[in-house]
């Protein structure tokens, strides 16, 4: 199994992996083995995100219903995040429950983490002189305040997104 993403947390499962064999594995470090294998994805699992305060995580792959929320420690399925029709390479969630997914086609989606409802979507605009195919999002994170979203793309840029005022 080729591991595409790995996340760690203080409580069990301490390690969560997403793999190209379409599985998410929850690991028992003390025993040195898998506690649970989740096989709900139909394609390779590319990204994981652990909620910073809630005992849960999300995983993503390509295709419809490609993003899923899980409850720790047993990996109980909670709900799908539907509508992001791209290979989602990156996920992130902040303590306020704003969940973000970034796709290989340059699509950015913001979700309510608790309900799975999308509330904003954007198309990444490649920098001038870049090709249209260079709109993909390959890495992202919230800053330490968990307010600013920072993305890295195939067009060799870093972009910063702020919450829009009402």
């Amino acid at each position: 199994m080729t591991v595409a993403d790995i996340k760690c947390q203080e409580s069990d499962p301490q390690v969560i992996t997403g793999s190209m064999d379409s599985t998410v594995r929850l690991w028992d470090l003390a025993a040195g083995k898998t506690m649970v294998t989740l096989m709900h994805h139909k394609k390779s699992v590319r990204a994981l995100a652990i909620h910073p305060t809630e005992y849960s995580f999300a995983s993503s792959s390509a295709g419809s219903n490609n993003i899923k929320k899980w409850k720790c420690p047993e990996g109980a399925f909670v709900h799908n995040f539907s509508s992001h029709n791209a290979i989602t390479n990156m996920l992130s969630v902040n303590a306020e429950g704003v969940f973000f997914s970034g796709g290989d086609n340059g699509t950015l989606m913001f979700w309510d983490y608790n309900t799975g409802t999308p509330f904003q979507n954007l198309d990444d605009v490649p920098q001038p002189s870049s090709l249209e195919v260079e709109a993909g999002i390959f890495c992202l994170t919230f800053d330490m305040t968990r307010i600013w979203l920072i993305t890295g793309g195939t067009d060799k840029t870093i972009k910063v997104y702020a919450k829009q005022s009402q």
Side-chain angles (χ1 to χ4, degrees):
M1 102 186 125
T2 300
V3 175
D5 200 2
I6 186 168
K7 299 293 186 222
C8 297
Q9 61 183 5
E10 291 181 11
S11 54
D12 285 333
Q14 291 179 320
V15 175
I16 303 169
T17 59
S19 302
M20 296 302 210
D21 65 357
S22 305
T23 63
V24 174
R25 296 176 190 268
L26 313 181
W27 295 88
D28 180 342
L29 289 182
K33 63 180 183 177
T34 302
M35 292 171 28
V36 177
T37 301
L38 307 173
M39 298 182 288
H40 294 68
H41 286 285
K42 294 178 181 156
K43 297 187 178 180
S44 60
V45 177
R46 303 285 183 107
L48 301 168
I50 294 176
H51 192 283
T53 59
E54 184 182 297
Y55 199 34
S56 66
F57 70 97
S59 60
S60 72
S61 64
S64 60
N65 291 326
N66 59 335
I67 304 171
K68 300 178 184 311
K69 180 178 176 182
W70 311 92
K71 194 75 179 151
C72 293
E74 70 282 354
F77 175 76
V78 178
H79 62 73
N80 284 315
F81 295 83
S82 300
S83 302
H84 199 166
N85 294 319
I87 297 172
T88 48
N89 293 310
M90 294 304 303
L91 302 174
S92 191
V93 60
N94 67 17
E96 290 75 36
V98 176
F99 180 65
F100 172 84
S101 57
D104 68 336
N105 61 358
T107 54
L108 317 166
M109 292 194 71
F110 293 82
W111 314 77
D112 178 318
Y113 186 72
N114 293 324
T115 66
T117 304
F119 62 84
Q120 184 177 0
N121 60 354
L122 303 168
D123 288 322
D124 185 46
V125 178
Q127 69 175 337
S129 77
S130 292
L131 301 173
E132 187 69 25
V133 296
E134 293 182 314
I137 306 298
F138 280 105
C139 58
L140 65 93
T141 190
F142 280 101
D143 74 323
M144 295 308 288
T145 67
R146 311 288 279 161
I147 295 171
W148 299 87
L149 180 70
I150 304 163
T151 66
T154 56
D155 65 350
K156 303 174 187 80
T157 61
I158 295 172
K159 296 180 179 118
V160 180
Y161 296 88
K163 182 178 180 181
Q164 295 178 348
S165 59
Q166 302 294 340

